[in-house]
Amino acid sequence: MPTITEERIRVRYGETDQMGHAYYANYFYWFEQARGAWCRERGFSYRELEELGFFLPVVEAHAEYKGEVHYDDWIVVRVWVSEMRRASMRFDYEVVNESTGKTTTTGHTWHVLMGTSRRAVTMPPEIRDMISRDPADHQTKP
Amino acid sequence: MPTITEERIRVRYGETDQMGHAYYANYFYWFEQARGAWCRERGFSYRELEELGFFLPVVEAHAEYKGEVHYDDWIVVRVWVSEMRRASMRFDYEVVNESTGKTTTTGHTWHVLMGTSRRAVTMPPEIRDMISRDPADHQTKP
Amino acid sequence: MPTITEERIRVRYGETDQMGHAYYANYFYWFEQARGAWCRERGFSYRELEELGFFLPVVEAHAEYKGEVHYDDWIVVRVWVSEMRRASMRFDYEVVNESTGKTTTTGHTWHVLMGTSRRAVTMPPEIRDMISRDPADHQTKP
Amino acid sequence: MPTITEERIRVRYGETDQMGHAYYANYFYWFEQARGAWCRERGFSYRELEELGFFLPVVEAHAEYKGEVHYDDWIVVRVWVSEMRRASMRFDYEVVNESTGKTTTTGHTWHVLMGTSRRAVTMPPEIRDMISRDPADHQTKP
């Protein structure tokens, strides 16, 4: 069972549009912010991954909008890894609007691991280990 | 056969990220800009649609990234309607990087027609007519 | 002496540009988020202000960049009201990069109070009272 | 007399906010797009400048909002160099809303020339020459 990370985000005024709720592209910023939190809960930051010479660019992005979120709403973005392959991985997302308790959006992103050559590379064991870690693990290790 | 609209867009500096190419969420802004051009080629603007009390919010968004676009690149976003239903419609997109001639991204969005009540409504004939129009039509009509 | 509100924000990947640090326009999103926090510390939300029929659009925005902030940095945006006039007010900002402890950016915004007619209006006493409140006040009132 | 470059931009839906007009931070994206056009009218692109190892980061940004621009409006951003110093330069901007003919926003940005060390450097003659060029010049030179 994949472990889930939750990231709370407050909707900015600049993220709304004239329809009065958050513009659809902003969810992909929020997904990214949740991925960052997911990494940190496993004891590393995506920034460190890049400093090691690896990148995880998005190769597929998908969102389904079932409800709205408004300015100043707190949302919770739930994120987990739903699939791991040799050189790629998939994150799934659920956005819950705290003011209603409803899941307003679901989505996923696919990422390919790239080295400094900007070519897909098989995940080295140490990267796979970082990514497969349980949130609790990195805290209990000495 | 659906008619295709093409919108040329130059990539802004602020649309890049530290990986050195356009951040993935920006494609959804470009898709939206291309939808606006699609409407205008058919003789109306999305703004007019809203002034008539109709909205076409996005209920699904999808993109697949096969290549990169960089700052100052000209891209062409090709957009067409790939499916029409009673109260919804789907746009498909291809993003071509002019500097390489390659399709770097494909995607689609699903939209539901909503009235002022913000509920899905069956497309009224006049809206269906606007949307189904051929680009040439509105120019030849008196 | 004006009371200061502090809002902690983590820099998103999508807020960086190819120069490797946060794109300059993003600071104005962060200023806005800090203004929202400023309101809430005084017991109301900017959303409520709009629901009462008032708007505080920006009429002047200014920022001076003395340093950089990077992806995943925590920043603290310090915000306070530096001037109040009959129908307008000014917020001042300092952005501190927590990883260096340095003030990287300062700025200000001027806002005009508008009513539903979208014309500038003299601040009614109840609005002036909300805005002039001390952060502690609203918590100690029954 | 500085020569002026004009860049036409159509306002995107995603650039509006729930107040119904363009969010204030977006003007800084438009200023940037106009600076890019300014460079190209002088025969180089800002991208080339970076490829030569130079950067022109923004050290000050300022805008005054006197009117509104709405979704689907065409705006014209007029940009010119108003001051040149040893290692820095200032661009001034006027945003005209084509649908009303009115100047809705004015502003400026200050930039410092930096080398690959990310330190301010005195403008080398070849950079100063590129920047000081008249729009017509680069077309008439062999």
Side-chain angles (χ1 to χ4, degrees):
Chain A
M1 284 292 292
T3 50
I4 293 171
T5 290
E6 295 190 345
E7 176 78 352
R8 281 183 93 219
I9 298 172
R10 205 187 263 277
V11 178
R12 298 172 179 168
Y13 201 89
E15 292 172 336
T16 63
D17 63 25
Q18 68 182 47
M19 225 180 272
H21 47 255
Y23 184 66
Y24 80 127
N26 289 122
Y27 291 77
F28 295 101
Y29 283 86
W30 301 334
F31 288 177
E32 175 245 295
Q33 182 172 333
R35 287 196 301 275
W38 184 92
C39 292
R40 286 189 302 272
E41 275 207 359
R42 275 141 198 88
F44 68 102
S45 76
Y46 178 70
R47 174 149 74 170
E48 286 163 23
L49 204 69
E50 288 200 353
E51 285 164 3
L52 291 171
F54 294 101
F55 299 85
L56 268 175
V58 179
V59 292
E60 183 176 308
H62 184 84
E64 295 178 33
Y65 308 90
K66 301 149 207 281
E68 304 171 359
V69 299
H70 298 91
Y71 165 60
D72 217 36
D73 281 343
W74 275 112
I75 56 168
V76 175
V77 184
R78 308 178 78 231
V79 58
W80 64 95
V81 172
S82 51
E83 210 172 328
M84 287 279 287
R85 295 191 189 161
R86 193 183 55 78
S88 63
M89 61 190 296
R90 172 178 159 149
F91 286 98
D92 271 64
Y93 309 87
E94 275 179 18
V95 178
V96 177
N97 187 335
E98 279 198 0
S99 68
T100 62
K102 288 192 181 153
T103 297
T104 65
T105 308
T106 57
H108 72 257
T109 53
W110 271 102
H111 302 255
V112 167
L113 188 72
M114 294 196 174
T116 39
S117 64
R118 302 290 169 105
R119 299 249 175 85
V121 293
T122 300
M123 271 186 216
E126 67 272 24
I127 301 294
R128 186 169 294 272
D129 183 58
M130 283 161 75
I131 288 171
S132 309
R133 221 178 272 171
D134 197 69
D137 282 4
H138 72 93
Q139 296 166 331
T140 53
K141 278 180 186 160
Chain B
M1 284 292 290
T3 51
I4 292 170
T5 290
E6 295 190 346
E7 176 77 351
R8 280 182 94 219
I9 298 172
R10 205 186 261 278
V11 178
R12 297 172 180 170
Y13 201 89
E15 291 172 336
T16 63
D17 63 28
Q18 69 182 48
M19 224 180 276
H21 47 254
Y23 184 67
Y24 79 127
N26 290 123
Y27 291 78
F28 295 100
Y29 282 85
W30 301 335
F31 288 178
E32 175 245 295
Q33 183 172 332
R35 287 196 300 276
W38 184 92
C39 292
R40 287 189 300 273
E41 276 206 1
R42 276 142 196 89
F44 68 102
S45 75
Y46 178 70
R47 174 148 77 172
E48 286 162 24
L49 204 69
E50 287 200 353
E51 286 163 2
L52 292 171
F54 294 101
F55 299 84
L56 267 175
V58 178
V59 291
E60 183 176 308
H62 184 86
E64 294 178 32
Y65 308 89
K66 303 151 206 280
E68 303 172 359
V69 299
H70 298 91
Y71 166 59
D72 217 38
D73 281 344
W74 275 113
I75 56 170
V76 176
V77 184
R78 310 178 78 230
V79 57
W80 64 96
V81 172
S82 51
E83 209 173 329
M84 287 279 287
R85 295 192 187 159
R86 193 183 54 78
S88 63
M89 61 190 298
R90 173 178 157 149
F91 286 98
D92 272 61
Y93 310 87
E94 274 179 18
V95 177
V96 177
N97 187 336
E98 279 198 359
S99 67
T100 61
K102 287 192 184 153
T103 297
T104 66
T105 309
T106 56
H108 72 257
T109 52
W110 271 103
H111 302 254
V112 167
L113 188 71
M114 293 195 176
T116 39
S117 66
R118 301 291 171 105
R119 299 251 175 82
V121 293
T122 300
M123 270 186 217
E126 67 272 24
I127 300 295
R128 187 168 293 273
D129 182 57
M130 282 162 74
I131 289 171
S132 308
R133 221 179 269 169
D134 197 68
D137 283 4
H138 72 92
Q139 297 165 331
T140 52
K141 279 179 185 163
Chain C
M1 284 290 292
T3 51
I4 292 170
T5 290
E6 295 190 346
E7 177 77 350
R8 281 183 93 220
I9 298 172
R10 205 187 261 277
V11 178
R12 298 173 179 168
Y13 201 90
E15 291 172 337
T16 64
D17 63 26
Q18 69 182 47
M19 224 179 274
H21 47 254
Y23 184 67
Y24 79 127
N26 290 122
Y27 291 78
F28 295 101
Y29 283 85
W30 302 335
F31 288 177
E32 174 244 295
Q33 182 173 332
R35 287 196 301 275
W38 184 93
C39 292
R40 286 190 301 273
E41 276 206 359
R42 275 141 196 88
F44 68 103
S45 76
Y46 178 71
R47 173 149 76 172
E48 286 163 25
L49 204 69
E50 287 201 353
E51 286 163 3
L52 291 171
F54 293 101
F55 299 85
L56 267 175
V58 178
V59 293
E60 183 176 308
H62 183 84
E64 294 178 33
Y65 308 89
K66 301 151 207 284
E68 304 172 0
V69 298
H70 298 92
Y71 166 59
D72 217 37
D73 281 344
W74 275 112
I75 56 170
V76 175
V77 184
R78 308 178 79 231
V79 57
W80 64 95
V81 171
S82 51
E83 208 172 329
M84 288 279 287
R85 296 192 187 158
R86 194 184 52 78
S88 63
M89 61 190 296
R90 171 178 159 151
F91 286 98
D92 272 62
Y93 310 86
E94 273 179 18
V95 178
V96 177
N97 187 335
E98 278 198 1
S99 67
T100 62
K102 287 192 182 152
T103 296
T104 65
T105 309
T106 56
H108 72 257
T109 53
W110 271 101
H111 301 255
V112 167
L113 188 71
M114 294 197 174
T116 39
S117 65
R118 303 289 169 106
R119 299 251 175 82
V121 294
T122 299
M123 271 188 217
E126 67 271 24
I127 300 294
R128 187 169 292 273
D129 182 58
M130 283 162 75
I131 288 171
S132 308
R133 221 179 270 171
D134 196 68
D137 283 3
H138 71 93
Q139 296 164 331
T140 52
K141 278 179 185 162
Chain D
M1 283 292 291
T3 51
I4 293 171
T5 290
E6 295 190 344
E7 176 78 350
R8 281 183 92 220
I9 298 173
R10 203 188 264 278
V11 179
R12 297 173 181 170
Y13 201 90
E15 292 172 337
T16 63
D17 63 25
Q18 68 182 49
M19 225 180 273
H21 47 256
Y23 184 68
Y24 78 127
N26 290 122
Y27 291 77
F28 295 100
Y29 282 85
W30 301 336
F31 288 178
E32 174 245 294
Q33 183 172 332
R35 288 196 300 274
W38 184 92
C39 292
R40 286 189 302 272
E41 276 205 0
R42 276 139 198 91
F44 68 103
S45 75
Y46 178 71
R47 173 147 77 170
E48 286 163 25
L49 203 69
E50 287 200 354
E51 285 163 4
L52 292 171
F54 294 101
F55 299 84
L56 268 176
V58 178
V59 292
E60 182 176 308
H62 183 85
E64 295 178 33
Y65 308 90
K66 302 151 206 279
E68 303 171 1
V69 299
H70 298 91
Y71 166 59
D72 217 36
D73 281 345
W74 275 113
I75 56 170
V76 175
V77 184
R78 310 179 78 230
V79 57
W80 63 96
V81 171
S82 51
E83 208 171 329
M84 287 278 286
R85 296 191 187 160
R86 193 184 54 78
S88 63
M89 61 190 297
R90 174 179 157 148
F91 287 98
D92 272 63
Y93 309 87
E94 274 179 18
V95 178
V96 177
N97 187 335
E98 279 199 358
S99 67
T100 61
K102 287 191 182 154
T103 296
T104 65
T105 309
T106 57
H108 72 257
T109 53
W110 272 101
H111 302 255
V112 168
L113 188 71
M114 293 196 175
T116 39
S117 66
R118 302 292 171 104
R119 299 250 177 82
V121 293
T122 300
M123 270 186 218
E126 67 271 26
I127 300 295
R128 186 169 294 272
D129 183 58
M130 283 162 75
I131 288 171
S132 308
R133 223 177 268 170
D134 198 66
D137 283 3
H138 71 93
Q139 296 165 332
T140 53
K141 278 180 185 164

